[in-house]
Amino acid sequence: MKTMEQLLLHHLRPQVRHALDPLQFACQEKVGAEDAIYILHRSLSHLDRGSGAVRIMFLDFSSAFNTNQPLLLRDKLTEMGVDSYLVAWIVDYITDRPQYVCLGNCRSDIVVSNTGAPQGTVLPPVLFSLYTSDFQYNSESCHVQKFADDTAIMGCIRSGQEEEYRNLIKDFVKWCDSNHLQLNTSKTKELVVDFRRPRPLTDPVIITVTVCRGYRCINTWECSWMINWTGLPILMLCARED
């Protein structure tokens, strides 16, 4: 099956290259983690001028590859101009997937999955990159960079002006909700780098998330929805006083 997926990718990549997020450093040719680190370090050079701070929000998804919505993915691929036969094959591949668990001579009931993509295969990271490619942002002060399902939002803060950074996080959280991607707030962290003396107080970023209370079977969610205002933990990186 992986051979078939590789063949599919051979035809898919040229058709979606124009739509890929230039700051997505996974599943692309001739780029990787080193490039992502370089972009991050380039932004930190803002601190050399001693005019402000850098805030980086590291966001984590809950079961990212398991939450892709096939119909949304179909619409996004179609908008990218992907061949209709390729789109139909991908949608058919990730829907109506029977799953069960075997233990010795025992076998569980069959559950049909219609979200996400099969784990341990070639396609899931690529499909997730395409699924999230319509949220891109890159300005002089803020940008969003990704590595597969890992996302970081960076803001160069000058003179205490944080509005663009905070609005970008707010827009990203709203986009996640509309695309059925759930953020894991327990693993979402913010790093604040500030070498100024005296250091000003840093207000935490507060985001609104939808919390899923539990699930049963495979990809069949039993949810109790609520709004949870979470002040995310902040790690301060400051200059040492001799």
Side-chain angles (χ1 to χ4, degrees):
M1 195 61 192
K2 289 186 178 181
T3 302
M4 182 63 185
E5 291 180 86
Q6 292 287 5
L7 181 61
L8 174 74
L9 286 178
H10 177 74
H11 292 279
L12 178 64
R13 289 186 189 277
Q15 298 186 39
V16 299
R17 189 171 291 121
H18 68 282
L20 289 173
D21 185 348
L23 295 183
Q24 167 63 267
F25 296 98
C27 308
Q28 296 199 52
E29 298 175 348
K30 300 180 180 180
V31 296
E34 296 84 359
D35 301 280
I37 294 172
Y38 169 74
I39 295 294
L40 202 62
H41 183 267
R42 186 187 67 179
S43 299
L44 291 176
S45 64
H46 154 76
L47 296 168
D48 294 339
R49 295 188 289 271
S51 59
V54 171
R55 301 186 69 159
I56 311 171
M57 183 69 72
F58 296 95
L59 298 125
D60 183 79
F61 293 108
S62 295
S63 301
F65 295 160
N66 288 331
T67 52
N68 286 356
Q69 301 297 310
L71 295 183
L72 275 178
L73 179 62
R74 178 200 63 189
D75 294 342
K76 294 183 181 191
L77 292 175
T78 301
E79 188 174 345
M80 293 176 191
V82 177
D83 181 84
S84 59
Y85 291 104
L86 276 180
V87 175
W89 191 96
I90 292 171
V91 173
D92 183 74
Y93 177 61
I94 62 178
T95 55
D96 296 325
R97 303 192 318 273
Q99 300 180 3
Y100 59 88
V101 177
C102 286
L103 180 61
N105 295 324
C106 298
R107 194 180 80 170
S108 69
D109 294 335
I110 295 176
V111 175
V112 177
S113 175
N114 284 297
T115 59
Q119 297 297 297
T121 57
V122 176
L123 277 178
V126 178
L127 295 181
F128 188 82
S129 297
L130 295 173
Y131 191 79
T132 59
S133 65
D134 56 342
F135 191 96
Q136 304 178 20
Y137 193 92
N138 187 14
S139 72
E140 182 181 353
S141 300
C142 296
H143 73 265
V144 179
Q145 68 181 73
K146 310 166 188 171
F147 192 88
D149 60 329
D150 295 320
T151 303
I153 297 178
M154 169 171 283
C156 297
I157 310 302
R158 298 178 177 86
S159 303
Q161 299 299 315
E162 300 181 346
E163 184 177 0
E164 182 182 2
Y165 172 72
R166 290 179 177 272
N167 286 339
L168 178 55
I169 294 175
K170 181 179 178 180
D171 291 342
F172 183 77
V173 172
K174 183 178 179 180
W175 175 87
C176 288
D177 187 56
S178 63
N179 284 270
H180 304 281
L181 295 173
Q182 184 180 353
L183 291 173
N184 185 346
T185 54
S186 65
K187 293 184 179 180
T188 294
K189 310 293 182 183
E190 184 181 32
L191 171 67
V192 179
V193 187
D194 191 345
F195 296 147
R196 292 173 293 177
R197 297 180 184 177
R199 293 185 296 272
L201 293 176
T202 302
D203 293 328
V205 174
I206 299 176
I207 64 173
T208 306
V209 296
T210 304
V211 177
C212 184
R213 286 302 183 187
Y215 63 93
R216 61 184 179 183
C217 300
I218 303 175
N219 291 331
T220 304
W221 295 90
E222 182 180 357
C223 297
S224 173
W225 302 104
M226 62 176 291
I227 298 300
N228 179 30
W229 289 88
T230 304
L232 298 174
I234 293 178
L235 173 63
M236 296 292 296
L237 180 61
C238 307
R240 185 180 65 183
E241 297 184 6
D242 297 326

Short mmCIF file of all heavy atoms in Angstrom, two decimals, residues 25-26 28 30-37 147:
data_model
loop_
_atom_site.label_atom_id
_atom_site.label_comp_id
_atom_site.label_asym_id
_atom_site.label_seq_id
_atom_site.Cartn_x
_atom_site.Cartn_y
_atom_site.Cartn_z
N PHE A 25 7.72 23.42 7.18
CA PHE A 25 9.04 22.85 6.92
C PHE A 25 9.06 21.33 6.94
O PHE A 25 10.13 20.73 7.00
CB PHE A 25 10.04 23.41 7.94
CG PHE A 25 10.23 24.90 7.81
CD1 PHE A 25 9.55 25.77 8.64
CD2 PHE A 25 11.07 25.42 6.85
CE1 PHE A 25 9.71 27.15 8.52
CE2 PHE A 25 11.24 26.79 6.71
CZ PHE A 25 10.56 27.66 7.55
N ALA A 26 7.90 20.71 6.88
CA ALA A 26 7.82 19.25 6.78
C ALA A 26 7.18 18.88 5.45
O ALA A 26 6.42 19.65 4.87
CB ALA A 26 7.01 18.68 7.94
N GLN A 28 8.21 18.74 2.53
CA GLN A 28 8.58 19.50 1.35
C GLN A 28 10.02 19.16 0.97
O GLN A 28 10.85 18.88 1.83
CB GLN A 28 8.45 21.01 1.59
CG GLN A 28 7.03 21.47 1.87
CD GLN A 28 6.87 22.97 1.64
OE1 GLN A 28 7.23 23.48 0.59
NE2 GLN A 28 6.34 23.67 2.63
N LYS A 30 13.80 19.56 -0.04
CA LYS A 30 14.95 20.43 0.20
C LYS A 30 14.76 21.41 1.35
O LYS A 30 15.45 22.43 1.42
CB LYS A 30 15.31 21.20 -1.08
CG LYS A 30 15.69 20.30 -2.25
CD LYS A 30 16.05 21.10 -3.49
CE LYS A 30 16.41 20.18 -4.64
NZ LYS A 30 16.76 20.95 -5.87
N VAL A 31 13.82 21.15 2.24
CA VAL A 31 13.68 21.93 3.46
C VAL A 31 13.47 20.96 4.62
O VAL A 31 13.03 19.83 4.42
CB VAL A 31 12.51 22.95 3.40
CG1 VAL A 31 12.74 23.99 2.34
CG2 VAL A 31 11.19 22.23 3.17
N GLY A 32 13.79 21.43 5.83
CA GLY A 32 13.64 20.55 6.98
C GLY A 32 13.73 21.32 8.28
O GLY A 32 13.57 22.55 8.32
N ALA A 33 14.03 20.59 9.36
CA ALA A 33 14.04 21.19 10.69
C ALA A 33 15.10 22.29 10.80
O ALA A 33 14.90 23.29 11.50
CB ALA A 33 14.29 20.11 11.74
N GLU A 34 16.24 22.13 10.10
CA GLU A 34 17.30 23.14 10.18
C GLU A 34 16.81 24.48 9.66
O GLU A 34 17.15 25.53 10.22
CB GLU A 34 18.53 22.69 9.39
CG GLU A 34 19.21 21.44 9.92
CD GLU A 34 18.56 20.16 9.43
OE1 GLU A 34 17.55 20.26 8.68
OE2 GLU A 34 19.04 19.07 9.81
N ASP A 35 16.00 24.46 8.60
CA ASP A 35 15.46 25.70 8.05
C ASP A 35 14.49 26.35 9.03
O ASP A 35 14.45 27.57 9.17
CB ASP A 35 14.76 25.42 6.72
CG ASP A 35 15.69 24.79 5.70
OD1 ASP A 35 16.48 25.53 5.09
OD2 ASP A 35 15.64 23.57 5.55
N ALA A 36 13.69 25.53 9.72
CA ALA A 36 12.75 26.06 10.70
C ALA A 36 13.50 26.73 11.84
O ALA A 36 13.11 27.80 12.32
CB ALA A 36 11.86 24.93 11.23
N ILE A 37 14.59 26.11 12.29
CA ILE A 37 15.38 26.69 13.38
C ILE A 37 16.03 27.99 12.93
O ILE A 37 16.11 28.97 13.69
CB ILE A 37 16.45 25.68 13.84
CG1 ILE A 37 15.77 24.47 14.48
CG2 ILE A 37 17.42 26.33 14.83
CD1 ILE A 37 16.71 23.33 14.80
N PHE A 147 5.88 22.63 11.43
CA PHE A 147 6.62 21.42 11.06
C PHE A 147 5.64 20.27 11.25
O PHE A 147 5.45 19.79 12.36
CB PHE A 147 7.88 21.23 11.90
CG PHE A 147 8.79 20.17 11.35
CD1 PHE A 147 9.76 20.49 10.41
CD2 PHE A 147 8.67 18.85 11.74
CE1 PHE A 147 10.59 19.52 9.88
CE2 PHE A 147 9.49 17.87 11.22
CZ PHE A 147 10.46 18.20 10.29
#
